[in-house]
């Protein structure tokens, strides 16, 4: 079941993002770099203050397993906990997020993904996203490069 999240879900969203990030990005971040718990938790609180933001949570038997946050033509946050990778749940919440963006009137949709997040890039490419050629350094240490993708 996919449902809309609320501010009370900040801890759940943080936990899911941390699980997914640690598993997917271990090759990007050295083991001595701690996950930025307080920054990520604070960012999730700010997400709910953004006008037009929709946050979705996918659940199985009441257990949160994936999330997406969308606004202004952007897929801002997206992830599935590692235990559910390869089950099709990512495609499911991705489709729901794109439907929400379309309902918001988005003609094209954008996202950022780390260049070295190979699993995510493959997922997005299979789902019709393409590289725009735009690159930026991420704002957190060790400042990996992120790339912009678009889907029309």
């Amino acid at each position: 079941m996919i449902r809309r999240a609320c501010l009370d879900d900040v801890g759940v969203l943080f936990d899911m993002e941390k699980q997914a990030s640690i598993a997917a990005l271990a090759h990007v971040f050295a083991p001595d770099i701690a996950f930025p718990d307080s920054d990520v938790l604070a960012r999730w609180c700010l997400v709910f203050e953004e006008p037009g933001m929709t946050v979705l949570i996918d659940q199985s038997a009441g257990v949160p397993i994936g999330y997406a946050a969308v606004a202004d033509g952007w897929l801002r946050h997206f992830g599935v906990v590692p235990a559910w990778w390869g089950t099709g749940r990512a495609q499911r919440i991705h489709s729901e997020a794109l439907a929400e963006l379309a309902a918001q009137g988005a003609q094209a949709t954008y996202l950022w993904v780390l260049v070295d997040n190979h699993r995510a890039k493959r997922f997005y490419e299979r789902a019709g996203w393409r590289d725009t050629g735009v690159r930026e350094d991420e704002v957190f240490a060790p400042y990996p490069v992120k790339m912009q993708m678009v889907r029309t």
Side-chain angles (χ1 to χ4, degrees), residues 56-80:
L56 304 170
I57 292 179
D58 187 10
Q59 299 180 155
S60 177
V63 176
I65 60 172
Y67 60 91
V70 299
D72 301 324
W74 284 84
L75 177 58
R76 301 272 185 90
H77 306 285
F78 181 79
V80 173

Side-chain angles (χ1 to χ4, degrees), residues 8-120:
D8 291 343
D9 292 310
V10 164
V12 168
L13 292 159
F14 165 80
D15 288 339
M16 287 190 290
E17 181 175 359
K18 185 173 181 176
Q19 287 179 56
S21 294
I22 288 172
L25 303 173
H27 64 287
V28 176
F29 299 99
D32 60 332
I33 296 176
F35 189 80
D37 290 357
S38 59
D39 290 340
V40 172
L41 194 55
R43 189 200 65 223
W44 274 114
C45 290
L46 292 173
V47 162
F48 286 96
E49 295 178 11
E50 290 187 45
M53 182 66 70
T54 299
V55 182
L56 304 170
I57 292 179
D58 187 10
Q59 299 180 155
S60 177
V63 176
I65 60 172
Y67 60 91
V70 299
D72 301 324
W74 284 84
L75 177 58
R76 301 272 185 90
H77 306 285
F78 181 79
V80 173
V81 297
W84 288 85
W85 289 356
T87 66
R89 296 305 277 257
Q91 290 89 347
R92 183 176 157 182
I93 196 163
H94 177 262
S95 294
E96 189 73 22
L98 292 178
E100 179 63 32
L101 284 163
Q104 293 176 5
Q107 299 298 309
T109 303
Y110 296 87
L111 63 78
W112 289 104
V113 62
L114 295 182
V115 168
D116 290 330
N117 190 344
H118 307 295
R119 180 184 186 89

Side-chain angles (χ1 to χ4, degrees), residues 28-29 33 114 136-146:
V28 176
F29 299 99
I33 296 176
L114 295 182
E136 289 184 8
D137 290 337
E138 190 52 84
V139 297
F140 48 83
Y143 312 104
V145 176
K146 61 185 178 180

